[in-house]
Amino acid sequence: MQLGMIGLGRMGANMVCRLVKADHECVVYDRTPQAVKNLQAQGAIGTFSVEDFVARLAAPRAVWLMVPAAAVDDMLATLIPLLQPGDIIIDGGNSYYRDDIRRGTEAKSKQIHYVDVGTSGGVAGLDRGYCLMVGGEKEVVQHLAPIFAALAPGIDAAPPTAGRKKPGSTAEQGYLHCGPQGAGHFVKMVHNGIEYGIMGAYAEGLNVLRNANVGKQKSDSDAETTPLRNPEFYQYELDLPEITELWRRGSVIGSWLLDLTASALLTDPKLESYAGRVSDSGEGRWTVAAAIDEAVPVPILSAALFERFSSRGEAGFSDKVLSAMRHGFGGHVEKTAKQ
């Protein structure tokens, strides 16, 4: 099957390589010419303008956008006038599902189909495959099934669930038509919100283990410091690389995220190459907003999102307010930060 791919970054380029390996024809475009040339060498058909890109695609065209969410509308403004009725646009990035509903309505007015695909797999997806959460018209999604099947991990990626009997489901292949336009990105949005929570739990737990030797440390003894009452209970020098490696085997908290953590700690046990500033690309915020609209409690996901804000220094002023109040009512003088 032929597919056009716009956006050849870390994921888009690997997706093209995976499709080419599965004998699909890929026409590619990116604003960076070298990215196009790199994929030409891998067997893709390279183009260096959107106009040439569209001209190389046979009708009905299938165009997959793998660009940042903020760039989708501008790309659509350029792309849609060049397309014809019956063509298909696929947004595989991390767009807000409400934008999908709007864009789908606009595309439909021009008789163009719009499909949203939440894509999970990261840079490892080239080899592992991509978990695909799809929203759009049923017939259009079925038409694109060969593309989804080639990108997905396949049935051997996980053992079958005991007792599961659902003939015809594609979930075991690693892709699923979740519902109408927006449904794919809605499911991916919550997927990423959960990801924030899992990552935060690993990070906090490992920090508790890292500080299990606090009883051996010299502690301050002054009015500003709560003393450690039982230092004898915190005398452990724990090997975090070894512990994470252990947890990968037979533990109920084993996961790919734990695999990645173990790998990072193996090469950099103190994680000195990281500053600890954690970005968020929007999905965690949107998940919390949806939970508020639905009146569904999500304390863990909310806390994980707010911790990311804190990691970027966004709690700095509120911390200063707290310090100012303590100084005001009790004359408490700030202590210097630990070095």
Side-chain angles (χ1 to χ4, degrees):
M1 185 174 179
Q2 186 190 61
L3 179 77
M5 179 71 76
I6 295 180
L8 307 177
R10 289 171 296 183
M11 288 185 66
N14 282 350
M15 292 168 73
V16 169
C17 290
R18 189 171 174 89
L19 288 168
V20 169
K21 185 182 290 188
D23 294 326
H24 293 285
E25 181 180 89
C26 290
V27 179
V28 301
Y29 168 75
D30 192 275
R31 293 180 302 175
T32 305
Q34 188 58 51
V36 175
K37 294 175 183 177
N38 291 343
L39 283 173
Q40 281 181 313
Q42 300 296 320
I45 299 171
T47 64
F48 298 92
S49 71
V50 178
E51 291 77 10
D52 186 33
F53 170 82
V54 172
R56 296 289 191 100
L57 294 169
R61 301 170 182 84
V63 179
W64 190 304
L65 304 183
M66 209 63 190
V67 300
V72 173
D73 282 326
D74 287 344
M75 179 54 67
L76 290 177
T78 300
L79 179 65
I80 286 180
L82 303 174
L83 299 180
Q84 297 175 348
D87 289 347
I88 304 167
I89 296 172
I90 307 143
D91 180 5
N94 281 328
S95 289
Y96 189 25
Y97 78 98
R98 296 187 183 186
D99 289 333
D100 293 317
I101 296 171
R102 169 179 57 82
R103 291 164 183 160
T105 300
E106 293 170 355
K108 186 177 181 180
S109 69
K110 298 175 175 58
Q111 301 180 58
I112 294 171
H113 304 288
Y114 184 94
V115 176
D116 55 285
V117 181
T119 308
S120 181
V123 294
L126 173 61
D127 298 317
R128 289 169 52 96
Y130 302 88
C131 178
L132 304 173
M133 297 146 265
V134 187
E137 302 159 85
K138 182 178 180 180
E139 296 77 12
V140 177
V141 172
Q142 289 176 337
H143 172 73
L144 295 169
I147 296 296
F148 298 144
L151 289 171
I155 196 167
D156 294 332
T161 299
R164 175 181 167 84
K165 296 179 181 179
K166 196 162 185 181
S169 172
T170 61
E172 293 172 338
Q173 300 290 332
Y175 73 96
L176 181 68
H177 181 208
C178 298
Q181 284 165 349
H185 278 145
F186 188 91
V187 174
K188 177 58 161 48
M189 173 187 79
V190 177
H191 165 285
N192 281 27
I194 293 170
E195 178 186 300
Y196 286 20
I198 296 172
M199 293 172 68
Y202 279 133
E204 291 181 11
L206 289 170
N207 203 18
V208 173
L209 294 178
R210 178 176 178 269
N211 287 281
N213 65 351
V214 67
K216 294 183 175 183
Q217 310 301 317
K218 181 181 178 181
S219 59
D220 293 333
S221 180
D222 55 52
E224 300 300 318
T225 307
T226 299
L228 179 63
R229 292 185 179 276
N230 298 105
E232 68 273 17
F233 295 153
Y234 302 97
Q235 299 286 321
Y236 304 116
E237 298 288 349
L238 299 174
D239 189 328
L240 298 191
E242 287 295 284
I243 290 170
T244 51
E245 189 64 30
L246 168 69
W247 284 351
R248 294 181 61 223
R249 291 164 172 80
S251 166
V252 297
I253 62 168
S255 71
W256 185 40
L257 288 172
L258 182 61
D259 295 344
L260 297 175
T261 303
S263 178
L265 288 170
L266 176 65
T267 57
D268 185 3
K270 294 184 179 180
L271 300 182
E272 293 176 329
S273 57
Y274 298 93
R277 180 183 174 89
V278 188
S279 298
D280 73 289
S281 54
E283 297 89 349
R285 304 181 188 210
W286 304 333
T287 300
V288 172
I292 292 171
D293 287 344
E294 297 171 2
V296 173
V298 288
I300 295 170
L301 306 190
S302 300
L305 173 64
F306 294 143
E307 172 54 30
R308 293 195 175 200
F309 297 164
S310 181
S311 79
R312 305 197 294 265
E314 300 303 333
F317 185 74
S318 62
D319 291 340
K320 290 180 180 181
V321 172
L322 292 173
S323 188
M325 287 189 287
R326 291 189 80 246
H327 184 263
F329 68 68
H332 301 284
V333 178
E334 282 186 325
K335 300 185 61 137
T336 58
K338 289 183 179 181
Q339 298 301 318

